[in-house]
């Protein structure tokens, strides 16, 4: 069960990289990045996604996972592994639901933060 945290972490790394270059995703959540990508043909592939909000979307999971693993160590030490895994699983569940039903970028980012917390707890 605990190893699933690592599997989900790796899966997310592969998915988030691909989804951030999808036109439908960019149109809905990052219209300024999409219009810049479409209108400026001289821009290189390396710099076309120059957006602080897009960077926050991508990195929020990893930052939350790093911070949560520090707190998860205290929870594990005080209460054992089972509560840590349950907290991680609940965080995965809520984060996935929020990400799947997101209507705006802020719902997506909060969902990714919750996924990061889940990763931090389950990997701990």
């Amino acid at each position: 069960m605990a190893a699933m945290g690592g599997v989900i972490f790796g899966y997310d790394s592969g998915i988030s990289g691909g989804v951030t270059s999808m036109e439908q995703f960019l149109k809905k959540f990052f219209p300024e990045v999409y219009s810049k990508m479409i209108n400026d043909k001289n821009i290189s592939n390396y710099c076309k996604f120059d957006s602080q909000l897009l960077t926050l979307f991508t990195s929020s999971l990893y930052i939350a996972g790093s911070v949560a693993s520090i707190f998860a160590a205290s929870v594990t030490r005080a209460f054992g592994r089972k509560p840590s895994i349950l907290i991680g699983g609940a965080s995965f569940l809520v984060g996935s639901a929020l990400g799947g039903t997101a209507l705006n970028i802020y719902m997506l980012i909060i969902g990714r933060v919750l996924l990061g917390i889940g990763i931090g707890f389950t990997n701990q």
Side-chain angles (χ1 to χ4, degrees), residues 44-123:
S44 72
N45 282 335
Y46 181 72
C47 295
K48 70 180 171 185
F49 300 121
D50 185 22
S51 167
Q52 295 298 319
L53 200 55
L54 185 59
T55 303
L56 178 63
F57 166 77
T58 304
S59 63
S60 59
L61 181 132
Y62 308 111
I63 293 169
S66 298
V67 172
S69 66
I70 295 168
F71 292 107
S74 299
V75 171
T76 303
R77 197 173 313 114
F79 303 105
R81 288 186 304 170
K82 187 175 181 180
S84 289
I85 292 172
L86 290 174
I87 291 169
S91 184
F92 275 132
L93 182 66
V94 174
S96 298
L98 199 58
T101 60
L103 301 174
N104 57 44
I105 185 59
Y106 302 106
M107 287 177 73
L108 272 178
I109 291 173
I110 291 169
R112 286 187 57 86
V113 166
L114 290 171
L115 288 171
I117 292 169
I119 287 170
F121 270 83
T122 56
N123 280 341

